[in-house]
Amino acid sequence: MIIGLSIAALIIVAIIFLTNKYRHRRFRYLCYGLIGAGITTAVIPCFVLLSGKIPQININTRSLYNLFVSYFNGLFASFWIYVVIILVLAILTLFLYMKYYKRAVSEHSN
């Protein structure tokens, strides 16, 4: 599933790069997409962790309860790692957008 989603993401990036003539627009659209992906990825862990429902799960055996809670805490920790990676990439594309936008404006004004 991860490989398929990675291939889909690469195809979307290729479409963005091939359909936009100007570099600054490419990076702007990538920045928008990455910010949206970061927010979307952060919604599920925020909702579940802020609702406080994980510790309230009623599982009879203590070991199964500990397994369940530790599994979901690890799962949500990996979500946060992905959110940070996506938002760092969004900031990088934002800086690239600003760099190429300033260059395009200065070339156009000359």
Side-chain angles (χ1 to χ4, degrees):
M1 187 169 157
I2 292 174
I3 294 171
L5 291 174
S6 299
I7 291 171
L10 289 175
I11 290 171
I12 291 170
V13 169
I15 289 171
I16 288 173
F17 269 82
L18 294 175
T19 58
N20 291 298
K21 179 178 160 183
Y22 301 106
R23 280 190 227 158
H24 66 279
R25 288 184 185 170
R26 295 172 184 171
F27 289 111
R28 180 176 62 195
Y29 297 144
L30 286 175
C31 182
Y32 292 162
L34 287 169
I35 289 172
I39 291 171
T40 304
T41 307
V43 166
I44 294 172
C46 282
F47 178 74
V48 173
L49 293 175
L50 291 177
S51 69
K53 297 294 182 186
I54 291 179
Q56 296 176 356
I57 297 295
N58 189 11
I59 297 177
N60 292 335
T61 61
R62 187 74 178 157
S63 61
L64 188 58
Y65 171 80
N66 288 337
L67 174 69
F68 179 81
V69 170
S70 65
Y71 173 77
F72 276 101
N73 286 336
L75 180 70
F76 292 135
S78 67
F79 267 92
W80 287 116
I81 291 170
Y82 292 136
V83 167
V84 168
I85 291 170
I86 289 170
L87 292 179
V88 166
L89 289 173
I91 291 170
L92 177 68
T93 57
L94 177 67
F95 286 130
L96 289 171
Y97 160 69
M98 291 188 315
K99 173 185 169 186
Y100 286 117
Y101 181 75
K102 288 178 185 177
R103 186 179 295 171
V105 168
S106 66
E107 289 174 1
H108 182 69
S109 65
N110 290 336

